[in-house]
Amino acid sequence: MRTKECKEIFEEIKYSIEIFSECMDDFLYVYDVDNDLYYIAEKALERFNIPGNTFQNVVESHKNFVHSDDISLIMDDLQEVADGKKNFHDLVYRWIGKDGSPVWINCKGKLMAVPEKGVRFLIGCINEIGRKQRADNVSGLLGERSFMMQMENYKNTAIEGFLLRIGIDDFKVVNEKLGTAYGDFILHSVADCINHCRKKDQFAYRIVSDEFLLLDTSGGTREEAVELYHKIRQAVDHFMETVSYEAVFTISAGLIMGEDINTDDCDLLLRTSHYALSEAKARGKNQVYVFCQDDYANFMKKRDLLSSLRLSVANDFEGFQLYYQPIVHLKSGKICAGEALLRYNNRGTVISPMEFIPLLEESGLIIPVGKWIVQEAANMCLKCRRYIPNFLVNINLSYVQLLKSPVFDTVKEGLDKCGLDYSGIVVEMTESGYVGSSPTIKGIWSKFKNEGMMIAIDDFGTGYSNLINIGDMMPHVIKIDRSFTLRALNNEYENTLLKHIIDMVHNLEIQIVVEGVETESELEQIREMNPDYVQGYFYSCPVPEEDFLKLTASEI
Ligand code: C2E
Ligand code: CA
Ligand code: CA
């Protein structure tokens, strides 16, 4: 039975809770233990997945909004309070937030008992311990949450000004070299520099570890923002001088101008500012990058494509396909090999290899995909050998595979698995300057050669490829890039050069493939240069496996 007095006191506490709650972030509550009644500040309804802010059957009800792993913990503790075994409650556990995600809280409460009035109330407070900081004692600046609260004021309105996200370059290295205490000193000092350079109506915040935000809502222009960045950089340089260059570091910044600031979605704004800063760092650090919607759209497109590629790799290489392009013996006009060229179809959209191969390389996905390519291509070679007994399959290897995976073992295992002899494969690699000088690559190169696999230098005549390295590496084949051939067909000097190169290479008993032959007239001119093989649209563009098999079958 709830006494009148008990009811009155409960109501008074409720009233106080609402008043105090206005002035704090925490959630106050009261639990009438004997009458099994609970009240929590009304604002908790916005944050947690609770049935209401007043409820009965308190211990049981907790099951509805406490994380399933923590239910027994909290129920046991509240039961002990109810049974009079303890007069306080102090637990760290998880409630479920309004959006369904777990929210770490520290729930503290003290039992207030006036037995003669029939009153036993547990009164306390729920504090969100996982919540982002409002302020940061290391830098002395406000924190991310304060930034978000500030942005609330601008919801649905356009900002005239800018947001500058500043990051210390390679802060991890500073921390590792000089210790975290010194790292904190640097954070504090950079914050001082920012504070010193900003105007009164520009607001500074420290967000994740070594990054800061500077918000201008008073019409600051792009030039002013860039100037501000340089001013802060100068202040940082001056700071380094005062500590006798004990630490040497630079700062980068991502700048978002008012028209690109989304005031309705602060999370998105933080993400775009993160992107802008990353872009400044990716472009070489120690600089400011001005956010541009087109760059960002491109970045997002790449990110989406990368996640599709990952998914495809995980789903048994769904969407990947190997096309084959014939390599033709010039004198006989017969197909003697085929180059395997990777294709990717992203749920109905064909993506160019120029777009997806760099992504596979950057992400390292080229390693599993490369393994798949070897197996597919080796099987295909066996099929083609039904029609052309000494048929060879060319596969392209990327430097990422060479440097970051046991690529020789991968190729060997791929061939062993399907029973293709090692002389059936030609490994194509672009000569990009350091092949000849890298002992690692030279080592792998020799392994392939020692096992009887053929090596081709791809894209000769572009970039770094040079004859000195060729002599050093002694490949079996050199593939002349279409751009070089075209130059040779249109320019006498380059024509003579290419002819001499072909002669010299032949003297070394290395074979020549001319790539990218498109027309009959090109073919006739190329014929005069006397290469061994040709490849190009004139014969066939790269085609799917079935079509390529038809081409080889017609050779019989
Ligand atoms: P690449 O190795 O130089 O391959 C030859 C490229 O030239 C192919 O482009 C081919 O379609 C194109 N081509 C062939 N004949 C002609 C022609 O007559 N005229 C012109 N203009 N182009 C011709 P694709 O298939 O778009 O591949 C582009 C590049 O992507 C390849 O250049 C290669 O570097 C890379 N790539 C393709 N497949 C793979 C692969 O499986 N692994 C690796 N690591 N890279 C690959
Ligand atoms: Ca190639
Ligand atoms: Ca090529």
Side-chain angles (χ1 to χ4, degrees), residues 339 341 396 428 458-459 479 515:
E339 178 174 1
L341 292 158
N396 290 282
E428 293 192 11
D458 203 359
D459 302 335
K479 299 187 78 179
E515 286 190 305

Side-chain angles (χ1 to χ4, degrees), residues 25-49:
D25 290 339
D26 299 342
F27 304 91
L28 295 172
Y29 69 86
V30 53
Y31 168 26
D32 179 340
V33 179
D34 296 312
N35 296 300
D36 203 8
L37 186 66
Y38 188 96
Y39 181 88
I40 185 164
E42 208 174 316
K43 67 178 184 182
L45 286 169
E46 288 165 26
R47 181 69 182 113
F48 301 110
N49 199 15

Side-chain angles (χ1 to χ4, degrees), residues 321-323 325-326 339-343 351-358 360-361 366 369-370 372-373 394-399 401 428 430 458-459 479 481-482 486 515-519 522 535-542:
Q321 196 183 356
L322 278 187
Y323 271 38
Q325 186 176 34
E339 178 174 1
L341 292 158
L342 188 60
R343 297 290 176 263
I351 315 283
S352 151
M354 300 301 184
E355 213 176 310
F356 74 81
I357 287 179
L360 289 178
E361 291 180 334
I366 193 72
V369 174
W372 175 83
I373 290 173
N394 286 37
I395 58 161
N396 290 282
L397 283 192
S398 123
Y399 280 98
Q401 288 167 277
E428 293 192 11
T430 309
D458 203 359
D459 302 335
K479 299 187 78 179
D481 190 73
R482 173 167 167 83
L486 276 187
E515 286 190 305
V517 181
E518 291 188 357
T519 62
E522 278 174 15
Q535 178 181 351
Y537 297 161
F538 175 67
Y539 291 100
S540 163
C541 55

Side-chain angles (χ1 to χ4, degrees), residues 127-185:
N127 168 249
E128 262 191 63
I129 49 177
R131 200 164 185 172
K132 292 207 172 97
Q133 284 183 318
R134 259 206 196 188
D136 166 49
N137 292 335
V138 172
S139 66
L141 295 178
L142 292 174
E144 181 177 322
R145 235 182 94 225
S146 295
F147 170 72
M148 291 179 112
M149 284 158 75
Q150 167 80 328
M151 287 307 295
E152 278 289 310
N153 300 329
Y154 296 97
K155 237 184 162 113
N156 302 321
T157 51
I159 283 190
E160 282 182 30
F162 57 81
L163 179 69
L164 194 63
R165 185 163 177 152
I166 302 162
I168 302 176
D169 296 328
D170 304 314
F171 185 62
K172 213 173 128 234
V173 180
V174 176
N175 255 340
E176 277 166 8
K177 272 198 191 148
L178 299 162
T180 44
Y182 201 88
D184 282 356
F185 166 63

Side-chain angles (χ1 to χ4, degrees), residues 59-319:
V59 176
E60 270 301 302
S61 295
H62 270 72
K63 281 186 183 168
N64 298 326
F65 54 84
V66 169
H67 190 282
S68 55
D69 292 351
D70 302 337
I71 286 175
S72 61
L73 181 81
I74 165 74
M75 285 180 64
D76 290 352
D77 201 79
L78 285 181
Q79 199 57 55
E80 280 185 30
V81 174
D83 294 346
K85 289 185 188 156
K86 60 196 282 195
N87 63 358
F88 70 95
H89 168 68
D90 183 0
L91 271 187
V92 168
Y93 61 104
R94 287 159 288 183
W95 275 24
I96 302 297
K98 194 99 193 121
D99 61 357
S101 56
V103 181
W104 277 105
I105 57 146
N106 180 197
C107 181
K108 285 187 180 183
K110 175 89 184 128
L111 197 68
M112 189 193 96
V114 191
E116 57 280 16
K117 292 186 181 170
V119 172
R120 267 199 320 151
F121 291 159
L122 182 73
I123 304 175
C125 171
I126 286 176
N127 168 249
E128 262 191 63
I129 49 177
R131 200 164 185 172
K132 292 207 172 97
Q133 284 183 318
R134 259 206 196 188
D136 166 49
N137 292 335
V138 172
S139 66
L141 295 178
L142 292 174
E144 181 177 322
R145 235 182 94 225
S146 295
F147 170 72
M148 291 179 112
M149 284 158 75
Q150 167 80 328
M151 287 307 295
E152 278 289 310
N153 300 329
Y154 296 97
K155 237 184 162 113
N156 302 321
T157 51
I159 283 190
E160 282 182 30
F162 57 81
L163 179 69
L164 194 63
R165 185 163 177 152
I166 302 162
I168 302 176
D169 296 328
D170 304 314
F171 185 62
K172 213 173 128 234
V173 180
V174 176
N175 255 340
E176 277 166 8
K177 272 198 191 148
L178 299 162
T180 44
Y182 201 88
D184 282 356
F185 166 63
I186 287 182
L187 285 172
H188 184 85
S189 306
V190 172
D192 278 352
C193 294
I194 294 174
N195 254 335
H196 178 73
C197 298
R198 75 182 169 92
K199 288 191 201 145
K200 269 207 187 78
D201 48 6
Q202 292 170 332
F203 307 96
Y205 309 86
R206 178 189 171 203
I207 46 171
V208 285
S209 65
D210 55 349
E211 294 177 13
F212 305 87
L213 289 177
L214 233 171
L215 178 67
D216 178 305
T217 54
S218 56
T221 62
R222 180 183 163 136
E223 290 68 32
E224 282 164 355
V226 172
E227 201 182 298
L228 177 60
Y229 162 74
H230 286 292
K231 204 168 145 193
I232 296 169
R233 234 175 66 172
Q234 272 172 12
V236 168
D237 288 347
H238 179 69
F239 156 73
M240 289 192 292
E241 201 184 318
T242 59
V243 293
S244 311
Y245 298 100
E246 205 161 9
V248 178
F249 60 90
T250 51
I251 56 165
S252 296
L255 170 63
I256 306 190
M257 291 311 300
E259 62 267 24
D260 291 318
I261 293 181
N262 188 330
T263 51
D264 300 342
D265 187 344
C266 201
D267 282 331
L268 178 66
L269 176 59
L270 283 170
R271 282 202 304 276
T272 46
S273 70
H274 172 73
Y275 157 78
L277 175 57
S278 308
E279 203 51 36
K281 292 192 181 195
R283 289 170 188 231
K285 302 174 187 163
N286 196 24
Q287 60 184 282
V288 57
Y289 163 80
V290 186
F291 177 85
C292 151
Q293 290 289 0
D294 286 351
D295 287 355
Y296 189 57
N298 243 329
F299 163 80
M300 295 300 283
K301 204 174 133 201
K302 261 174 86 170
R303 212 193 57 168
D304 291 347
L305 178 57
L306 183 58
S307 67
S308 299
L309 289 165
R310 270 188 219 290
L311 208 68
S312 293
V313 170
N315 283 333
D316 205 16
F317 304 98
E318 188 188 31

